[in-house]
Amino acid sequence: EKIYLRDYKAPSFSVESINLDFNLNEDFCRVIAKSNITKKEAAELRLNGEELKLVSIKINDKVLTSQDYQITGEELIIPQVPEKFILEIETELEPQKNTSLEGLYKSNGIFCTQCEAQGFRKITYFFDRPDIMTSYSVTIEADKKKYPVLLSNGDRVRIDDLGNGRHKAFWSDPHKKPCYLFALVAGDLGVIRDNFVTKSGRKVNLEVYAAHGKQERCWHAMDSLKKSMKWDEDTFNLEYDLNDYMIVAIDDFNAGAMENKGLNVFNSRLVLADSNSATDVDFHAIESVVAHEYFHNWTGNRVTLRDWFQLSLKEGLTVFRDQEFSADMTDRGVQRIEDVDALRVGQFAEDAGPNAHPVRPESCMAVDNFFTMTIYEKGSEVIRMMQTIVGRKGFRKGMDEYFKRHDGQAVTTDDFAAAISEPNGKDFTQFKRWYHQSGTPVVNVNESYDSSKSEYTLTLEQHCPPTPNQPTKEPFHLPLMMELLSKNGQELKLECDKIETNSDGKHLIELKEAKETYVFKNLNERPVLSILRQFSAPVNLKWQASQDDLYFLMEKDTDSFNRREMAQKIGLGVLRQLIDQARNKKDLVIDQRYLAAMSAIIRDEKMDHGFKAKMLQLPSHSVLAQEEAVLDTESFHTARTTLKKAIAKENRQQLLEIYQKFHGVEPKSRDTKAFGHRSLKNSALSYLAELHDPEVLEVVNKQYWGAQNMTDRMTAMMILADSESVHRDKALHNFYEEWKNDAVVMNKWFTAQATTSRKQTLEDVKTLTKHPAFNITNPNNVYSLLRAFGANLVRFHDPKTDAYEFYADKIIEVDAKNPQVAARLCSAFNFVQKLEPAMKEKALKQIRRMVGIEALSKNSRELLQSALAES
Ligand code: ARG
Ligand code: ZN
């Protein structure tokens, strides 16, 4: 039941072209697939297919009888086929009953497809593997009134009116592609149009489709698309290669979006936005995901994957590209902070948990379980390290080489590493351990200064904790960006022959050994080390620096990422002390030096607003969960709120002033500056809310009712939802009445209630699962209510409730309909190793119950079984 990378075998057949003919009806859909196939070596024909009703098979127009072939649960096998032949297969589907949302399905009356990773096999029998690339021509026939819009990949050929109330569209894609990039959409949709002229003069029609009446909310996605097209030309000299680019917003969608050639299908939450309905965070996410899918046109589509174990080849690289795009569109420093926060909370936790896996995994049960933070976010860090080692110019040279070598091919992460390293004269043999070793490396820092010799000595040691199936690891190749700072914060001259300067002029230590020592000469006073600048490698730094140095760096480091990093590191230390006091039932004593430093930041008038909001953020519960040996979330909560309250109390007046200064300033503006001052203002408000005083809650309530954008309304609603304020229920009720007909916005209402720290949260969530607005077959509803609750560490791991049992019930219920969505809920049980014995037993009981269900999908089973095995 497992598949292995080492079993990869090149295909024995090639497919020159395929014609797909769809006949769409209300109760069934008929598909005729006609492929032009060549046998390259002696072999029987084996095609993938699942949940299909086979009508007929022909080879070169001759109908096969049941003696000629064999059908298993997952394959169609034809032992005897000629060297060259035309295979015609007719199948029948019931898309209206497809709740897995892979293959062809229906969402709100719209037919659409999701073929990645293995959905195409639910449409017809085919070689459902990415290394079979072929030319597609497609026809779609449907009722003209119900489905006026008929879309597929590539170029529109024509549309025929069939006279009987039906019409038929013809599409042809000039680019070869694997079947996971096939797409079809049919429905009654609204559309907005624009165009983009590429640098070589191709005029591309851009279309964004959404349910009628929603299309005016698509303009931000359209703008984002145009920016992405321009950026990819400017940055990587990559141009679009078709005359049409289409995006379609769909309400029921398992993932965020899909890069089907020329026809992206998006979760509507990542398309629809205007300032009344979307927050600043939503706008930012839309810009980045539209870019991500667009960038896949080169990194994923033109150059695709040899097999699914290579998934990070396209996902890591494309995330890296969208992060760089976002950095250029907004504020590079703040963007890096956000990306690293997401990496730590999601990926570091994954790497420390029972489902840790390498960036290039070696085995799996369910391919869809590969769409992880490790493949995406850690994959992106691996690419970023390559760029750090060879410098930006070197990286661009390597990217050019990658397309020169592999355009039109299905390749591997090794091919990519070779294309980047070889033109730059680098050896990536050791570096490639990042692809096959899982786990987050730990780097220990030791320093000493000898004033008599004017020498500073830095010793770095690395190791990587064991992960499932990988008890020991070899040392990694780590690029550590560094500087030494003088007492007044100047970067000092580095006299050490082991320090590299990359082509961007950045100073780098390339740590390759388990332990290495670096001696820096001619330093008349003890310098302060600034290391891992910009988080140049995804590692856990263990550094017992003095408090003086940490505070110094927080104030004066010339790398803004590191200033914020030091604020987090100090804050983490303070919180861990408080957690310790709380667990031992002692009085909670606030660290006065930290309090003074936070007060100074609040009072700093020169600091950039967006950056200041990041400086003021306290480490999250998920970060605490990784640092602490025991997951005692009640004491995490006590510690964190106590600290937050102390900061608010000390700075009540200043926080109110910040609030008043920025509240209502350019409420509709969406530039980076406005985004920054809103996030600062709302962070001031969230500190103040910790005081629970009626005057502050009055301000929050006023913000809710007077809000001129969703960012302000949502912030106020979340604060009220997490309070016992008299204003709470009225605001929640009002939000519901305002937005009950808007599926995308209703998700915010669910999340606001699922993420509170109130004791009755579980009961609220249970009630909400029965609410008419909640639909368990809609992935966004499941994510915004159930998954959000599973990530609510305080209430999910509350010893006084039966949260685990309720949550397991829901996983089971979802799993029967939609395995991919169920699997995404399972990660809530990843902390099982850190639970106290009684809680652990409770969690294990539920995991065992789920695994014991025979019909449980392989998706959920794979994840839950490793949670059991590792506990
Ligand atoms: N390739 C898509 C993207 O990252 C994601 C598809 C998700 N598929 C899945 N089976 N979860 O852009
Ligand atoms: Zn992607």
Side-chain angles (χ1 to χ4, degrees):
E1 48 178 340
K2 265 192 155 194
I3 55 167
Y4 295 90
L5 169 62
R6 60 169 187 262
D7 292 341
Y8 175 82
K9 207 182 144 292
S12 310
F13 293 85
S14 64
V15 183
E16 279 61 61
S17 64
I18 183 170
N19 174 265
L20 290 167
D21 177 29
F22 288 85
N23 193 312
L24 303 174
N25 304 281
E26 294 314 290
D27 45 356
F28 75 101
C29 161
R30 198 222 53 219
V31 184
I32 300 174
K34 235 183 188 179
S35 326
N36 222 310
I37 302 179
T38 304
K39 182 160 69 174
K40 296 192 292 189
E41 62 189 15
E44 52 183 17
L45 183 70
R46 284 174 169 264
L47 301 175
N48 310 95
E50 280 173 28
E51 295 163 39
L52 293 169
K53 185 172 154 199
L54 180 63
V55 179
S56 72
I57 314 176
K58 291 180 199 163
I59 284 187
N60 295 331
D61 282 330
K62 191 175 156 282
V63 180
L64 301 197
T65 66
S66 57
Q67 281 95 55
D68 300 328
Y69 62 88
Q70 194 186 317
I71 288 182
T72 69
E74 300 183 335
E75 275 183 320
L76 166 68
I77 304 161
I78 310 179
Q80 305 290 338
V81 292
E83 216 117 293
K84 269 183 178 299
F85 58 101
I86 294 182
L87 176 71
E88 186 176 324
I89 298 181
E90 181 171 341
T91 48
E92 233 176 71
L93 325 172
E94 294 182 299
Q96 74 281 3
K97 292 189 186 161
N98 180 352
T99 58
S100 70
L101 313 188
E102 45 181 34
L104 177 65
Y105 66 96
K106 235 176 159 179
S107 169
N108 285 343
I110 302 161
F111 285 102
C112 64
T113 53
Q114 171 58 32
C115 293
E116 191 182 26
Q118 299 178 327
F120 195 76
R121 61 185 65 186
K122 291 183 159 189
I123 293 175
T124 186
Y125 289 100
F126 195 61
F127 303 98
D128 194 353
R129 46 188 288 171
D131 57 354
I132 292 278
M133 300 173 79
T134 188
S135 303
Y136 283 70
S137 57
V138 176
T139 57
I140 312 165
E141 186 198 310
D143 185 275
K144 214 178 146 184
K145 268 223 184 70
K146 283 200 174 100
Y147 311 100
V149 177
L150 303 175
L151 309 174
S152 191
N153 320 85
D155 298 325
R156 275 167 233 266
V157 179
R158 64 172 202 273
I159 183 152
D160 291 349
D161 192 328
L162 303 181
N164 53 354
R166 293 176 69 82
H167 62 164
K168 187 169 185 168
F170 293 72
W171 289 84
S172 165
D173 188 347
H175 299 280
K176 287 196 173 210
K177 63 172 176 286
C179 65
Y180 82 86
L181 291 173
F182 164 77
L184 168 157
V185 171
D188 189 4
L189 294 157
V191 61
I192 59 164
R193 295 192 164 87
D194 201 340
N195 66 72
F196 179 85
V197 181
T198 69
K199 67 192 222 183
S200 68
R202 182 198 285 265
K203 186 171 166 190
V204 184
N205 304 309
L206 310 177
E207 302 178 332
V208 185
Y209 292 86
H212 275 297
K214 297 276 168 71
Q215 66 269 29
E216 289 307 316
R217 277 196 220 166
C218 297
W219 287 106
H220 175 66
M222 180 69 88
D223 282 348
S224 306
L225 175 60
K226 287 171 26 184
K227 286 182 186 167
S228 317
M229 295 176 91
K230 177 79 169 70
W231 186 89
D232 220 12
E233 291 185 352
D234 294 346
T235 314
F236 289 109
N237 195 30
L238 296 172
E239 246 182 276
Y240 190 57
D241 54 6
L242 285 167
N243 298 323
D244 297 276
Y245 194 94
M246 299 169 282
I247 290 176
V248 184
I250 295 288
D251 285 339
D252 301 278
F253 199 76
N254 286 343
M258 181 62 212
E259 70 267 22
N260 318 301
K261 185 81 187 186
L263 175 58
N264 291 178
V265 177
F266 268 63
N267 188 321
S268 51
R269 113 187 138 74
L270 287 163
V271 179
L272 304 179
D274 57 29
S275 55
N276 290 325
S277 64
T279 62
D280 293 344
V281 172
D282 296 330
F283 278 106
H284 189 63
I286 290 169
E287 182 177 83
S288 115
V289 177
V290 167
H292 180 97
E293 306 312 330
Y294 175 71
F295 297 154
H296 267 316
N297 191 54
W298 279 94
T299 50
N301 303 3
R302 290 288 290 248
V303 184
T304 196
L305 312 174
R306 190 194 73 172
D307 58 80
W308 290 111
F309 297 101
Q310 317 296 329
L311 182 58
S312 195
L313 171 71
K314 75 176 175 80
E315 294 305 347
L317 178 54
T318 305
V319 170
F320 171 72
R321 277 151 54 66
D322 83 53
Q323 289 178 346
E324 284 299 289
F325 166 76
S326 291
D328 285 343
M329 294 300 121
T330 59
D331 178 299
R332 182 164 284 273
V334 171
Q335 182 66 38
R336 185 66 186 139
I337 290 170
E338 285 175 359
D339 291 339
V340 175
D341 280 355
L343 180 80
R344 272 220 180 92
V345 166
Q347 200 279 324
F348 279 22
E350 193 166 87
D351 245 350
N355 281 296
H357 53 277
V359 172
R360 193 202 59 192
E362 254 133 55
S363 70
C364 76
M365 272 168 75
V367 166
D368 286 306
N369 284 342
F370 279 165
F371 293 78
T372 62
M373 293 291 289
T374 298
I375 304 295
Y376 278 65
E377 271 65 27
K378 187 176 182 179
S380 166
E381 294 302 320
V382 171
I383 307 289
R384 185 177 297 279
M385 287 188 282
M386 289 185 184
Q387 173 173 278
T388 302
I389 292 169
V390 302
R392 283 174 176 270
K393 270 205 210 96
F395 187 72
R396 173 58 205 276
K397 196 157 122 197
M399 285 290 276
D400 289 350
E401 183 67 17
Y402 177 59
F403 295 116
K404 195 169 131 205
R405 292 184 186 178
H406 300 300
D407 188 13
Q409 299 176 4
V411 303
T412 64
T413 54
D414 280 338
D415 294 322
F416 182 79
I420 301 296
S421 58
E422 287 165 12
N424 286 293
K426 282 272 174 183
D427 181 359
F428 275 179
T429 313
Q430 182 183 0
F431 183 83
K432 287 198 296 186
R433 288 176 188 161
W434 281 107
Y435 280 105
H436 55 258
Q437 295 191 145
S438 57
T440 306
V442 175
V443 177
N444 284 296
V445 179
N446 272 296
E447 321 168 70
S448 68
Y449 176 68
D450 184 338
S451 57
S452 65
K453 290 195 200 149
S454 297
E455 268 179 20
Y456 167 81
T457 305
L458 175 64
T459 305
L460 299 175
E461 272 176 274
Q462 60 160 313
H463 72 274
C464 184
T467 45
N469 302 318
Q470 295 194 351
T472 59
K473 329 265 171 152
E474 303 290 329
F476 287 86
H477 176 175
L478 300 170
L480 303 172
M481 247 191 246
M482 58 110 30
E483 293 293 343
L484 294 177
L485 303 179
S486 72
K487 274 209 173 62
N488 48 24
Q490 307 286 356
E491 290 174 12
L492 295 164
K493 191 156 168 265
L494 303 180
E495 294 185 34
C496 170
D497 45 16
K498 288 202 228 162
I499 298 293
E500 321 262 331
T501 306
N502 77 2
S503 72
D504 307 322
K506 303 282 185 204
H507 293 132
L508 281 191
I509 286 177
E510 290 194 43
L511 178 63
K512 296 179 178 170
E513 306 298 322
K515 179 174 180 176
E516 258 189 273
T517 295
Y518 305 84
V519 180
F520 296 83
K521 296 209 174 79
N522 290 321
L523 294 162
N524 296 326
E525 51 174 35
R526 188 184 70 88
V528 180
L529 173 67
S530 168
I531 195 162
L532 199 62
R533 292 161 76 90
Q534 290 171 40
F535 207 67
S536 60
V539 299
N540 264 316
L541 201 63
K542 296 288 171 215
W543 179 23
Q544 304 308 326
S546 70
Q547 289 289 309
D548 286 347
D549 281 2
L550 296 180
Y551 278 101
F552 171 86
L553 289 167
M554 167 166 145
E555 198 187 330
K556 292 221 164 67
D557 200 324
T558 46
D559 179 49
S560 73
F561 177 85
N562 255 3
R563 287 185 66 188
R564 187 334 182 107
E565 186 71 2
M566 294 306 128
Q568 290 281 299
K569 190 172 161 66
I570 300 167
L572 192 60
V574 172
L575 281 171
R576 295 191 68 186
Q577 263 180 11
L578 291 170
I579 289 170
D580 205 51
Q581 292 161 358
R583 277 174 69 73
N584 293 304
K585 309 261 179 297
K586 290 199 193 124
D587 287 343
L588 270 54
V589 187
I590 306 290
D591 183 301
Q592 290 302 309
R593 185 172 186 182
Y594 179 69
L595 193 57
M598 290 299 267
S599 302
I601 293 169
I602 290 169
R603 284 152 217 249
D604 187 332
E605 306 240 316
K606 288 197 266 327
M607 198 180 280
D608 172 81
H609 303 136
F611 179 67
K612 187 161 164 176
K614 296 291 172 204
M615 288 293 280
L616 292 176
Q617 229 172 26
L618 299 181
S620 64
H621 287 155
S622 356
V623 168
L624 292 171
Q626 287 173 48
E627 295 291 323
E628 290 283 315
V630 179
L631 196 79
D632 175 359
T633 56
E634 201 60 48
S635 44
F636 294 4
H637 182 57
T638 307
R640 200 167 180 277
T641 49
T642 304
L643 183 57
K644 217 172 157 187
K645 190 170 179 171
I647 295 167
K649 204 166 155 202
E650 181 88 8
N651 297 286
R652 191 176 191 282
Q653 195 47 41
Q654 288 71 24
L655 289 165
L656 272 171
E657 275 165 25
I658 289 175
Y659 181 80
Q660 277 144 8
K661 181 166 171 198
F662 295 115
H663 183 62
V665 177
E666 299 182 60
K668 300 280 183 196
S669 165
R670 273 190 270 114
D671 60 22
T672 304
K673 235 182 90 211
F675 193 116
H677 75 230
R678 264 199 295 281
S679 88
L680 176 60
K681 173 202 81 157
N682 283 326
S683 117
L685 192 60
S686 101
Y687 268 100
L688 287 165
E690 223 42 81
L691 297 171
H692 299 288
D693 78 38
E695 193 190 332
V696 169
L697 286 167
E698 215 45 66
V699 175
V700 178
N701 193 46
K702 234 171 103 188
Q703 168 159 322
Y704 176 83
W705 293 93
Q708 295 182 65
N709 58 57
M710 184 53 94
T711 305
D712 285 354
R713 175 153 291 137
M714 179 70 180
T715 305
M717 178 170 69
M718 294 200 58
I719 294 174
L720 292 174
D722 200 3
S723 76
E724 306 300 334
S725 158
V726 292
H727 305 304
R728 180 181 193 274
D729 294 351
K730 227 174 135 193
L732 283 169
H733 181 73
N734 168 266
F735 194 92
Y736 173 70
E737 287 298 326
E738 289 277 297
W739 297 105
K740 62 184 171 195
N741 296 318
D742 199 302
V744 169
V745 180
M746 274 317 283
N747 291 309
K748 300 188 190 308
W749 188 72
F750 290 128
T751 299
Q753 298 175 79
T755 53
T756 86
S757 53
R758 298 162 85 236
K759 294 227 160 48
Q760 57 273 58
T761 302
L762 172 62
E763 293 313 312
D764 290 351
V765 171
K766 285 182 178 172
T767 309
L768 286 169
T769 57
K770 303 196 179 88
H771 193 283
F774 180 81
N775 186 348
I776 202 156
T777 64
N778 175 263
N780 290 351
N781 282 181
V782 173
Y783 300 148
S784 65
L785 184 65
L786 297 172
R787 198 182 185 205
F789 178 69
N792 177 350
L793 297 186
V794 182
R795 295 286 69 111
F796 184 65
H797 300 286
D798 181 346
K800 296 195 189 70
T801 69
D802 61 351
Y804 296 159
E805 187 182 354
F806 160 76
Y807 199 79
D809 284 344
K810 292 297 150 190
I811 291 180
I812 294 166
E813 189 180 341
V814 175
D815 190 76
K817 300 187 169 86
N818 188 328
Q820 283 190 34
V821 172
R824 289 189 184 206
L825 294 176
C826 293
S827 59
F829 286 104
N830 274 359
F831 281 118
V832 65
Q833 292 150 294
K834 284 198 172 183
L835 296 174
E836 287 180 296
M839 289 297 280
K840 186 168 174 178
E841 204 29 63
K842 259 174 129 172
L844 288 176
K845 187 175 156 202
Q846 297 307 325
I847 299 175
R848 287 193 202 103
R849 175 164 71 98
M850 291 186 275
V851 171
I853 292 172
E854 209 180 318
L856 194 79
S857 68
K858 60 181 176 184
N859 305 58
S860 299
R861 182 175 305 280
E862 178 171 32
L863 302 178
L864 294 169
Q865 258 171 6
S866 8
L868 267 190
E870 295 296 317
S871 66

